[in-house]
Amino acid sequence: MHQLIDKKNKIIIYLLFLFILSTTSGKFIENQDAYFSKINLINIEGLSNSNNLKIFNELNNLSYKNVLLIEKEEIQKVLSKYNIIAEYSVKKIYPSTIDIKIKQTKLVAKLSNNDQLLVGANGMLIEDKKNIEILPYIFGEFNSRDFLFFKKNIDKSKFNFDELKTLYFFPLNRWDILTNDDILIKLPQNNLLKSLNLAHKIIGSDLFKDKMLIDLRVNKHLVVK
């Protein structure tokens, strides 16, 4: 009788051991499948078909990696090459998909010496040989910081950027603007927003009707011709 009980106990222990082993093995296989699951789909939307395809091709090497192990910096390194991108979002979708949504910057101006080089609202230079938009031309050597500061003040002022025909940037960090009505406004280095709003008020005043030059370069000194 005692031997029979021992035999039953051994069988129970053996069965428990097999259950634990199979459970552990199952978990290992499941984790192994998750670890080795490769990316098989990269969705990119927001730009032209050609630019979406270029980005897709540059990211193609990610297809050999697991979606959970992809660092966003790897994707950011590729996207940062494209000046036309204003912002983007990257979403990893388990088990094997990356979803990238891109917002394109607005094109706001052209360079005077190369009308195939456009300036985006993000301050970056963008080459676009097919663009036929009517945009203001910018003269002078400027950097992104100069332009973004200027555009920010335009946007805050009573002017709309599309009211401008030409922009002139001078080495002294000063801008002149020519409106679509061919009114030239010479702006000072400082108090830019205040000067823009004053110029807008002058243009709308009957006292200065048909005047084609507003010079605000000197503080507290106005020249209208």
Side-chain angles (χ1 to χ4, degrees), residues 47 55 79-80 82-88 102-105 122 126:
L47 299 180
I55 293 172
L79 297 181
S80 64
Y82 293 83
N83 291 347
I84 199 168
I85 295 177
E87 56 186 69
Y88 62 87
I102 298 171
K103 182 178 179 182
Q104 180 175 312
T105 190
N122 58 0
I126 300 155

Side-chain angles (χ1 to χ4, degrees), residues 11 55 58 70 78 86 91 101 105 110 123 127 141 144 169 175 178 181 190-191 194 206:
I11 292 172
I55 293 172
E58 288 196 61
I70 297 296
V78 172
K91 186 177 181 182
K101 293 186 178 180
T105 190
K110 295 181 179 181
E127 185 174 6
E141 296 183 8
S144 293
F169 181 76
W175 292 86
L178 183 68
D181 295 323
N190 303 313
N191 300 316
K194 182 179 178 180
D206 290 336

Side-chain angles (χ1 to χ4, degrees), residues 71-78:
E71 296 292 339
K72 289 190 176 181
E73 286 76 12
E74 295 181 74
I75 299 174
Q76 182 181 6
K77 186 177 180 180
V78 172

Side-chain angles (χ1 to χ4, degrees), residues 149-150 153 175 187-197:
F149 177 77
F150 175 71
N153 279 275
W175 292 86
L187 296 164
Q189 288 178 287
N190 303 313
N191 300 316
L192 187 54
L193 179 58
K194 182 179 178 180
S195 299
L196 284 166
N197 285 332

Side-chain angles (χ1 to χ4, degrees), residues 107-119:
L107 301 175
V108 295
K110 295 181 179 181
L111 294 189
S112 62
N113 59 350
N114 187 347
D115 60 6
Q116 292 180 356
L117 271 181
L118 288 78
V119 183

Side-chain angles (χ1 to χ4, degrees), residues 25-123:
S25 177
K27 286 183 178 179
F28 174 75
I29 292 171
E30 181 182 349
N31 291 337
Q32 193 178 44
D33 288 341
Y35 185 83
F36 288 105
S37 178
K38 296 177 182 179
I39 295 171
N40 58 31
L41 183 61
I42 300 176
N43 292 320
I44 303 171
E45 59 180 74
L47 299 180
S48 65
N49 290 336
S50 60
N51 279 329
N52 285 341
L53 182 59
K54 286 179 184 177
I55 293 172
F56 176 83
N57 289 334
E58 288 196 61
L59 293 175
N60 196 39
N61 66 311
L62 298 182
S63 299
Y64 299 98
K65 297 185 178 181
N66 177 269
V67 69
L68 299 178
L69 302 179
I70 297 296
E71 296 292 339
K72 289 190 176 181
E73 286 76 12
E74 295 181 74
I75 299 174
Q76 182 181 6
K77 186 177 180 180
V78 172
L79 297 181
S80 64
K81 299 177 184 178
Y82 293 83
N83 291 347
I84 199 168
I85 295 177
E87 56 186 69
Y88 62 87
S89 64
V90 178
K91 186 177 181 182
K92 300 178 184 178
I93 303 174
Y94 183 81
S96 57
T97 300
I98 291 180
D99 196 26
I100 302 174
K101 293 186 178 180
I102 298 171
K103 182 178 179 182
Q104 180 175 312
T105 190
K106 183 180 179 182
L107 301 175
V108 295
K110 295 181 179 181
L111 294 189
S112 62
N113 59 350
N114 187 347
D115 60 6
Q116 292 180 356
L117 271 181
L118 288 78
V119 183
N122 58 0

